[in-house]
Amino acid sequence: MALAPVRTTGAIAAAALVSVVLIFLVSEYRSKSKIPSKKIRLKKSKKGLIDAIGNTPLIRINSLSDATGCEILGKCEFLNPGGSVKDRVAVKIIEEALESGQLRQGGIVTEGSAGSTAISLTTVAPAYGCKCHVVIPDDAAIEKAQTLEVLGAVVERVRPVSITHKDHYVNVARRRAAEANEFALKHRKTSQLDSEGIEQINGYRSDEDSHSSVFSVDCQGGFFADQFENLANFRAHYEGTGPEIWEQTNGDLDAFVAAAGTGGTIAGVSRFLQEKNPNIKCFLIDPPGSGLFNKVTRGVMYTKEEAEGRRLKNPFDTITEGIGINRITRNFMMAKLDGAFRGTDREAVEMARFLLKNDGLFLGSSSAMNCVGAVRVAQSIGPGHTIVTILCDSGMRHLSKFHNSEYLSQLGLTPKATGLEFLGYK
């Protein structure tokens, strides 16, 4: 009978030993496991919204890849917080302006934009303590202006005119920045003098009646973003988009193609990729009315007909927005291109519907044109290659025009294709 307690004690001791061994083994497994704990895996954002910009997915566009025999990949820039590739540019422009002292917290960022850049600036500006004043042509899709207003921007719509005209939307935006600086300077001087009992300076009174209806009392001046000529645009893609594409493809790509408006995306990406590998071919896809195709292929901005004095009254006869231009910007000058293709409005419309039907991709006009360019490149260099393009924004900003059946019908652009026959595929 004396043996029972001994057995119980031995069992307890054995169980305790097993428990210690198990705890040790589990501890060792966890310490050597490649799977980090939740505490290590979760990374806290230090910049809030800004940290969510960039590092967008690079996806295979299945329908186009299968049709062409090439791997056609699209960089999903529409997944940025502000909904477009321009988020990158907005952040770079504002950060460089703040660092240089050209912009102060509480200041107003002004821009002349057909939509996406303005929306991106308005989206990210509050993260830097700034506001936005946007000037856009009055023929831009109405939902863009509505989005800007909801985001808190002051929106000024002006009639479309030549860039040489003082009232071109870009030139108006430049003036608004200068006016904001003048207003802030006068307000600061007046506030200083008012504290000494003096109410006026150069005939300007610092009271509510004399304040501009455009600028608030606490305005800390203005800064013109100047996306067309500001090389922060180029640097955003040279330092961000280009390296991401290189890493996501492991450097295994043969060509890159995109349209150009300001030229920042195609310049930054093409220069970075060709510096990494000179064998990567970079191409432009250009919409109707734009002179960049001629510049790249012939060295001049005009066609033979235009050279003979028969230039179109309105050369920008295209339904695509944000791409195409008839001048060389500082950003575009940084591009390294091997050639160019001309796209048409019909091709862009048909491509957008084709991708929506076959891939579930709901894209805007410039994204659709880029995909037309990707197919053109595939036809040019042949199957077996990897081609990358940019999916700039979604179709949500193009509902009133590019994705409006009635609007397209009026222009004779009702989509009719059942496949890719509009690009030569049966």
Side-chain angles (χ1 to χ4, degrees):
M1 297 297 295
L3 293 176
V6 174
R7 287 175 181 172
T8 302
T9 302
I12 292 173
L17 179 61
V18 170
S19 296
V20 169
V21 172
L22 285 174
I23 291 171
F24 174 77
L25 291 175
V26 170
S27 176
E28 283 292 292
Y29 172 78
R30 284 179 175 174
S31 65
K32 293 180 180 180
S33 174
K34 293 182 180 179
I35 303 175
S37 67
K38 288 185 178 180
K39 189 173 182 180
I40 296 174
R41 215 181 324 150
L42 293 176
K43 179 182 176 182
K44 291 185 179 179
S45 171
K46 295 182 179 179
K47 291 187 177 181
L49 176 79
I50 306 305
D51 273 347
I53 294 172
N55 294 310
T56 54
L58 183 68
I59 65 168
R60 182 180 191 266
I61 304 178
N62 291 331
S63 63
L64 301 185
S65 299
D66 294 343
T68 62
C70 287
E71 288 296 293
I72 295 182
L73 310 177
K75 188 95 166 100
C76 297
E77 291 298 294
F78 57 83
L79 293 178
N80 281 309
S84 83
V85 66
K86 297 297 186 179
D87 280 15
R88 300 174 184 267
V89 178
V91 167
K92 194 67 173 174
I93 286 176
I94 291 177
E95 288 188 347
E96 288 192 5
L98 287 168
E99 289 170 3
S100 67
Q102 294 176 284
L103 176 65
R104 300 173 61 184
Q105 284 197 350
I108 297 174
V109 180
T110 72
E111 184 58 298
S113 169
S116 290
T117 301
I119 290 173
S120 293
L121 285 168
T122 307
T123 298
V124 306
Y128 298 97
C130 299
K131 300 178 181 179
C132 284
H133 181 105
V134 180
V135 186
I136 64 175
D138 60 14
D139 61 348
I142 188 63
E143 55 267 31
K144 292 185 178 181
Q146 292 170 335
T147 300
L148 287 166
E149 290 171 346
V150 169
L151 288 171
V154 173
V155 180
E156 186 175 352
R157 295 172 71 93
V158 299
R159 63 190 179 92
V161 292
S162 167
I163 186 64
T164 59
H165 196 287
K166 68 181 182 66
D167 290 331
H168 183 275
Y169 61 94
V170 170
N171 297 329
V172 173
R174 183 184 287 107
R175 284 205 304 275
R176 295 295 178 258
E179 291 166 1
N181 283 325
E182 182 182 0
F183 174 84
L185 179 61
K186 283 184 177 181
H187 183 64
R188 283 196 291 271
K189 287 182 177 179
T190 303
S191 296
Q192 292 172 359
L193 292 173
D194 280 349
S195 66
E196 300 172 4
I198 301 175
E199 296 183 353
Q200 300 187 69
I201 178 171
N202 297 327
Y204 176 83
R205 286 177 59 100
S206 181
D207 56 34
E208 291 186 5
D209 291 335
S210 61
H211 291 153
S212 167
S213 60
V214 176
F215 309 119
S216 60
V217 179
D218 60 351
C219 170
Q220 296 298 310
F223 172 74
F224 176 46
D226 198 13
Q227 60 168 324
F228 287 86
E229 307 302 331
N230 189 337
L231 289 180
N233 185 346
F234 159 78
R235 286 187 285 271
H237 299 292
Y238 180 81
E239 298 171 10
T241 319
E244 287 175 27
I245 290 173
W246 178 260
E247 291 176 6
Q248 289 171 318
T249 58
N250 293 317
D252 184 18
L253 72 158
D254 301 288
F256 172 76
V257 61
T262 64
T265 304
I266 197 168
V269 174
S270 66
R271 183 165 287 270
F272 177 85
L273 292 179
Q274 292 206 347
E275 285 179 4
K276 297 295 288 187
N277 181 358
N279 292 322
I280 296 174
K281 302 298 182 184
C282 297
F283 300 94
L284 169 79
I285 178 70
D286 211 28
S290 174
L292 296 181
F293 171 82
N294 297 317
K295 183 65 176 178
V296 173
T297 58
R298 298 177 53 243
V300 293
M301 291 290 289
Y302 47 82
T303 65
K304 294 179 180 179
E305 291 76 16
E306 290 167 344
E308 296 170 359
R310 294 197 294 270
R311 187 176 181 82
L312 296 173
K313 182 178 181 181
N314 180 15
F316 302 102
D317 188 17
T318 176
I319 62 168
T320 60
E321 293 185 1
I323 55 174
I325 193 171
N326 271 336
R327 70 181 193 277
I328 300 297
T329 67
R330 290 182 67 200
N331 283 290
F332 188 81
M333 288 174 64
M334 302 298 290
K336 298 186 71 174
L337 300 176
D338 296 282
F341 299 91
R342 175 74 81 188
T344 69
D345 283 344
R346 174 163 293 282
E347 289 170 348
V349 169
E350 295 284 10
M351 178 61 77
R353 275 49 176 192
F354 178 83
L355 293 174
L356 182 58
K357 177 182 177 181
N358 292 277
D359 299 88
L361 287 170
F362 182 40
L363 302 177
S365 58
S366 55
S367 301
M369 188 65 81
N370 282 350
C371 290
V372 170
V375 173
R376 291 300 186 203
V377 172
Q379 292 171 325
S380 175
I381 65 178
H385 297 92
T386 298
I387 302 163
V388 175
T389 193
I390 303 292
L391 306 182
C392 315
D393 66 357
S394 77
M396 292 301 293
R397 294 179 184 171
H398 303 264
L399 297 177
S400 65
K401 296 178 70 175
F402 188 69
H403 284 285
N404 184 311
S405 298
E406 183 178 350
Y407 177 79
L408 294 178
S409 177
Q410 292 172 357
L411 297 175
L413 292 173
T414 300
K416 301 176 181 178
T418 57
L420 283 174
E421 61 266 28
F422 58 96
L423 289 176
Y425 291 91
K426 293 183 179 180

